[in-house]
Amino acid sequence: MVSRPGGRTARTRTAVAAALQEELLEVGYAGTTIERIARRAGVAKTTLYRRWGSVGQLVVDLFHEAAAVEIPVADTGSLEGDLRALARSAVTLLLHPRSRAVFDIVVGEAVHDEAARAALTDFFAGRVANAAPIVARAVARGEIPANTDAAEVIRQLGAPYYARLYITGDPIGEADADRAAAVTAMAARAGLLA
């Protein structure tokens, strides 16, 4: 069967994604079932079972799809400014209840589920590729050494707020994004992220 953009398959995926997010917000992961999602989305539960098999796989598949979406990368004229804009964007996304609910599940599932681990790995690889122009522009401006590793820059940028969320359980905000950007830019300028 060939899926058509804007066709029934696309409408079903959109309805299921919206229903999943609503269920996660309303009853949490433990209370979310294929039956509840199907009812809310207005589709047959057999469609969901055939396509995804479980709530966990549904979450992973939709997360994997969302991870492929490119995020606009700011060009502020400086490495620190670009990193600040990127970090603020990431923190804003993580603070959005719908995004956070799905992200929390995928992070939790990635510990023991290969598909979830792959989705999370692909998500971060996509984010690194998407943000690589920030590093390339900084190298071209002479702000950082030519051998700066873009992946390491982006990992260092995200590590503080992901650690707060998933390790220490501390809240995150714009100040954390700004601090992460400043520290990462300083490390890159010093040649520590080569």
Side-chain angles (χ1 to χ4, degrees), residues 5-18:
R8 185 173 14 135
T9 300
R11 286 191 304 273
T12 298
R13 286 184 73 78
T14 300
V16 168

Side-chain angles (χ1 to χ4, degrees), residues 41-85:
V43 299
K45 66 182 178 182
T46 54
T47 300
L48 275 69
Y49 278 116
R50 184 175 52 251
R51 171 84 185 187
W52 291 285
S54 70
V55 173
Q57 288 309 308
L58 173 59
V59 170
V60 167
D61 185 51
L62 294 176
F63 179 82
H64 195 17
E65 191 174 278
V69 175
E70 284 194 25
I71 297 172
V73 177
D75 186 355
T76 66
S78 75
L79 174 63
E80 188 171 337
D82 291 355
L83 292 175
R84 184 181 311 108

Side-chain angles (χ1 to χ4, degrees), residues 15 18-20 22-23 26-27 35-43:
L20 171 65
E22 290 299 322
E23 286 296 318
E26 191 174 299
V27 298
E35 290 78 10
R36 289 178 62 99
I37 295 167
R39 191 175 326 113
R40 191 181 285 257
V43 299

Side-chain angles (χ1 to χ4, degrees), residues 147-164:
N147 65 342
T148 301
D149 182 346
E152 195 56 35
V153 170
I154 304 310
R155 277 193 291 269
Q156 290 298 316
L157 179 67
Y161 43 86
Y162 285 107
R164 290 176 72 92

